[in-house]
Amino acid sequence: MPAITVEDVLVLPRIPDPDPATALERRATSITTAPKGYEGEGFPVRRAFAGVSLEDLDPFIHMDEMGEVEWEPGAAKGTSWHPHRGFETVTYMLDGTFQHQDSNGGGGFITDGDTQSAAPSMASSSG
């Protein structure tokens, strides 16, 4: 179930301008191309922050792009158990469908233009 569903994905609420009195400007330290690789049982992924130190990533841990993949029915590849503790995941789907489930039975199905957010849990894992 998507966390946010809108009628027109091209008309989303705007983020307000930051308050100059409290905003902290952070300059880009590098511009790179995310390396291509495979995750889990062999699905393609690009890891945008590969090799970047954690102190430079705050507030992010990592950002992966699954990219465009078309699987035959029943052929989609998953990943083994992995913890989702202490961080929030955000999944968005530009086009297509994505179904997943965690070890607590949570999960969902997202499709064209949907966004799903999962808050951290001490007991949840995905796989």
Side-chain angles (χ1 to χ4, degrees), residues 7-90:
E7 298 212 9
D8 184 350
V9 296
L10 299 176
V11 183
L12 296 175
R14 298 286 179 209
I15 297 172
D17 289 332
D19 179 356
T22 59
L24 177 64
E25 184 174 324
R26 291 173 57 170
R27 300 197 182 283
T29 58
S30 67
I31 298 174
T32 61
T33 300
K36 294 179 182 179
Y38 293 92
E39 194 67 54
E41 295 175 3
F43 59 87
V45 66
R46 293 179 72 113
R47 183 141 295 155
F49 300 142
V52 178
S53 72
L54 290 177
E55 64 188 36
D56 291 334
L57 291 179
D58 184 36
F60 299 98
I61 294 176
H62 65 261
M63 182 168 56
D64 293 346
E65 176 196 6
M66 305 288 186
E68 184 176 329
V69 178
E70 290 195 30
W71 302 105
E72 296 295 323
K77 300 181 184 274
T79 186
S80 61
W81 180 93
H82 58 281
H84 279 200
R85 295 184 305 185
F87 65 92
E88 184 170 335
T89 61
V90 178

